[in-house]
Amino acid sequence: MARKKRPKKGLGGQLSFSDIVSISDFSRNDIEIILSEAKKLEKMPLQAKKQLLFGKTVATLFFEPSTRTKLSFETAAQNLGAGVIGFADANVSSAKKGESLSDTIRVVSDYADIIVMRHYIEGAARLASEVSKKPIINAGDGSNQHPTQTLLDLYTVEKAFGKIDGLTIGLFGDLRYGRTVHSLAQALALFNDVGLVLISPETLALPDYVKKQIEGRIKYIEAQELSEFIKELDVLYVTRIQKERFADPVEYEKVKGKYGLNKKSLEKAKENLKVMHPLPRVDELSTDIDQTKHALYFEQAKNGVIVREALLNLLKDVKKW
Amino acid sequence: MVKKTKDGLYIKPIEKGTTIDHLPVGTALHVLNIIGKTDSAITVAIGVPSRKLGKKDLVFVENKTLSNEQIAQIALIAPGATLNIIEKNEVILKSRLEMPKKVVGLITCINPKCITNMESVETIFYIENNALARCHYCEKIMSKDDYTARLRL
């Protein structure tokens, strides 16, 4: 199969790549460019923003269902004045007829200026980036990567604290299977003096291969009890523990109680501790936290739009070949 | 023509072809898999004494040179092995196989949900510390045992 070489630099030599595929492609400089673009767009009046992608087309190809990610990308595209085409389900695309992903992407890259894609197959976004003439933004490829979630998480932290360097961040819950926390840990390792506290049941600890990626670049400790560390945390990032990860339902019930967060569990926390969650939540994050000053998760979801606007604006004129 | 080596073993040197020496014990069988079906005569020695390795495997292939792809696969599973090309009983080329940094199309991905196992895409792996192989597409990591069992033959 013919594969085109990716250009070394993105538009205007800003980002060091022209597709948003994986957090492992990012340097700290790339992240800072995106966060600063988001900051700039957040202050811009909607009428002015509407001109930025006027006449452009953004394709949202969702081979797997999604609510927040798809809607936030489409809102972002519309806020910048772009037209949106796409589908929300592989069953309504020609993938159902057996068309290869490569062919679908080649065709759509002639229709759209930017392609946002979610796919249930891992590595689909990387392949798409290699066959598409236009930038690909990975909106999730199976359990592999979801880089725009990580970017909006970083934007949320920076907005809340004015910095990321030097913070102590707790990752709480299922650290084994959650791609969100893997990418976040990788990205935080690019910053200075960030301390990670990894709090999970032993069976759902951060996998060794992720630890190897961050080792020597970030200080981390592993724990099973949140209460030991709650006083030290600036951010507590909560993830959902899924029932299907446990062979024994009794074990799940035990763990569920211990790794659920409510107002009481935050009694000893710093006054400015911020609780984050990628959403959707089920019962690991009690609604009694919603009205406290600790809750940052709805703000976090809202930031998804602005960060995606930043990505679309940075990539809008990129032509790869 | 049978000759006793310094190690005290009897082995038949070849007049023409390829010898692969200093293979870690157990890798000769994988090397045979890589060479595949051939009309050439092949001599294999497994677990023979070696001053350098303690024990080693050897594979001698008569009247045949290996393809670049076969050599790259052997380098991947047995870095440090020595490959000799023999002509008229003389070693005309000797090379020490080094672990490649990137391998293209030589192994398949362990992840059944990887795009390379779904579509016609050439696999690409990056060899990282401790000989781990990271898939360019799905980013899953395979150990040496994992990818030795996944050579594309």
Side-chain angles (χ1 to χ4, degrees):
Chain A
M1 192 195 69
R3 184 181 288 115
K4 309 276 177 154
K5 269 195 172 172
R6 284 185 297 157
K8 282 184 180 159
K9 291 280 176 190
L11 173 70
Q14 292 185 70
L15 295 172
S16 56
F17 39 74
S18 50
D19 304 273
I20 308 294
V21 173
S22 165
I23 282 295
S24 47
D25 297 337
F26 282 70
S27 66
R28 176 169 177 156
N29 187 46
D30 294 317
I31 291 174
E32 282 173 349
I33 288 169
I34 294 162
L35 301 192
S36 113
E37 183 72 11
K39 207 170 166 183
K40 190 182 90 188
L41 290 179
E42 195 162 12
K43 289 182 194 146
M44 196 182 273
L46 189 61
Q47 276 315 103
K49 278 205 291 198
K50 287 265 183 207
Q51 304 305 312
L52 295 174
L53 263 75
F54 182 75
K56 302 271 183 191
T57 302
V58 173
T60 56
L61 311 185
F62 278 66
F63 293 86
E64 187 183 55
S66 147
T67 310
R68 255 164 302 277
T69 308
K70 184 170 185 295
L71 292 180
S72 70
F73 265 115
E74 291 178 351
T75 307
Q78 286 173 10
N79 286 351
L80 301 185
V84 178
I85 57 170
F87 51 81
D89 181 349
N91 286 324
V92 299
S93 79
S94 50
K96 205 189 173 191
K97 297 178 192 164
E99 187 183 45
S100 71
L101 174 67
S102 307
D103 281 1
T104 305
I105 296 297
R106 279 192 190 101
V107 171
V108 177
S109 77
D110 276 327
Y111 300 163
D113 298 286
I114 298 175
I115 299 174
V116 177
M117 186 182 85
R118 167 167 289 193
H119 208 293
Y120 49 88
I121 298 176
E122 293 160 25
R126 181 73 71 195
L127 176 65
S129 76
E130 290 169 347
V131 298
S132 173
K133 292 176 197 165
K134 309 287 172 52
I136 294 285
I137 301 179
N138 183 8
D141 60 332
S143 65
N144 183 31
Q145 284 275 337
H146 189 7
T148 63
Q149 176 71 48
T150 306
L151 293 167
L152 77 89
D153 291 343
L154 295 173
Y155 184 68
T156 304
V157 173
E158 196 186 63
K159 205 173 147 189
F161 292 89
K163 62 172 188 175
I164 296 170
D165 290 329
L167 296 177
T168 302
I169 298 176
L171 303 179
F172 182 65
D174 177 0
L175 309 186
R176 182 170 178 189
Y177 297 102
R179 64 180 174 192
T180 310
V181 287
H182 300 170
S183 301
L184 185 58
Q186 265 182 297
L188 289 170
L190 297 170
F191 289 83
N192 298 326
D193 301 322
V194 173
L196 276 187
V197 184
L198 309 170
I199 310 147
S200 72
E202 212 176 336
T203 49
L204 296 179
L206 199 72
D208 286 344
Y209 74 89
V210 182
K211 284 187 213 158
K212 281 198 183 98
Q213 288 168 344
I214 62 171
E215 235 146 36
R217 300 161 61 204
I218 191 167
K219 288 172 288 178
Y220 70 85
I221 41 174
E222 293 185 277
Q224 287 177 34
E225 297 286 340
L226 172 65
S227 55
E228 289 174 45
F229 294 96
I230 188 72
K231 284 185 286 190
E232 294 164 34
L233 301 177
D234 298 304
V235 175
L236 180 57
Y237 197 103
V238 182
T239 62
R240 183 155 54 97
I241 292 182
Q242 294 175 46
K243 197 174 181 176
E244 55 270 28
R245 304 293 184 205
F246 291 82
D248 180 356
V250 179
E251 273 306 301
Y252 167 70
E253 289 302 324
K254 280 188 205 163
V255 163
K256 190 176 90 173
K258 199 169 155 192
Y259 292 89
L261 198 73
N262 56 34
K263 206 170 166 181
K264 196 165 181 294
S265 36
L266 300 178
E267 272 173 358
K268 291 184 178 164
K270 283 184 186 172
E271 203 177 322
N272 63 344
L273 166 84
K274 297 298 178 195
V275 175
M276 294 174 66
H277 189 297
L279 303 180
R281 67 172 158 185
V282 183
D283 43 17
E284 69 282 4
L285 186 59
S286 168
T287 51
D288 68 4
I289 300 174
D290 294 1
Q291 302 307 322
T292 70
K293 55 186 176 306
H294 299 302
L296 196 60
Y297 31 91
F298 291 118
E299 172 75 19
Q300 182 186 356
K302 195 177 96 183
N303 289 337
V305 174
I306 201 80
V307 168
R308 286 162 181 141
E309 283 176 10
L311 293 171
L312 295 173
N313 199 38
L314 284 166
L315 298 174
K316 66 183 175 186
D317 294 320
V318 171
K319 283 187 182 56
K320 292 165 26 180
W321 57 80
Chain B
M1 190 169 70
V2 177
K3 166 182 162 188
K4 191 174 182 182
T5 67
K6 287 176 190 167
D7 297 325
L9 293 163
Y10 288 94
I11 195 159
K12 186 185 173 199
I14 56 174
E15 287 179 30
K16 186 183 176 196
T18 306
T19 70
I20 308 140
D21 198 353
H22 304 117
L23 289 165
V25 174
T27 51
L29 295 175
H30 297 298
V31 171
L32 291 182
N33 257 337
I34 291 167
I35 296 168
K37 259 190 181 174
T38 173
D39 291 336
S40 308
I42 300 181
T43 315
V44 178
I46 294 177
V48 298
S50 156
R51 269 173 299 173
K52 194 171 153 194
L53 301 174
K55 281 188 171 187
K56 66 179 179 182
D57 289 358
L58 293 161
V59 176
F60 288 9
V61 191
E62 285 185 53
N63 301 316
K64 183 178 167 75
T65 51
L66 303 182
S67 69
N68 288 341
E69 191 172 83
Q70 287 171 322
I71 294 169
Q73 285 185 323
I74 296 169
L76 182 66
I77 61 158
T82 310
L83 185 118
N84 300 302
I85 309 289
I86 315 287
E87 287 276 0
K88 295 177 184 165
N89 294 310
E90 297 287 328
V91 176
I92 58 157
L93 190 74
K94 188 183 194 84
S95 58
R96 188 173 180 274
L97 299 181
E98 283 183 21
M99 178 64 102
K101 287 189 173 138
K102 181 178 173 184
V103 289
V104 179
L106 301 183
I107 48 178
T108 59
C109 185
I110 194 171
N111 177 9
K113 291 181 186 164
C114 178
I115 188 83
T116 60
N117 289 318
M118 307 274 186
E119 286 204 9
S120 157
V121 188
E122 198 156 52
T123 61
I124 302 173
F125 289 85
Y126 303 104
I127 309 299
E128 300 182 336
N129 296 340
N130 304 318
L132 298 172
R134 180 169 54 84
C135 176
H136 168 70
Y137 290 99
C138 76
E139 303 186 14
K140 291 284 175 296
I141 292 181
M142 288 198 280
S143 69
K144 198 169 178 185
D145 284 349
D146 290 335
Y147 59 75
T148 300
R150 284 177 173 74
L151 291 169
R152 186 169 269 169
L153 301 172

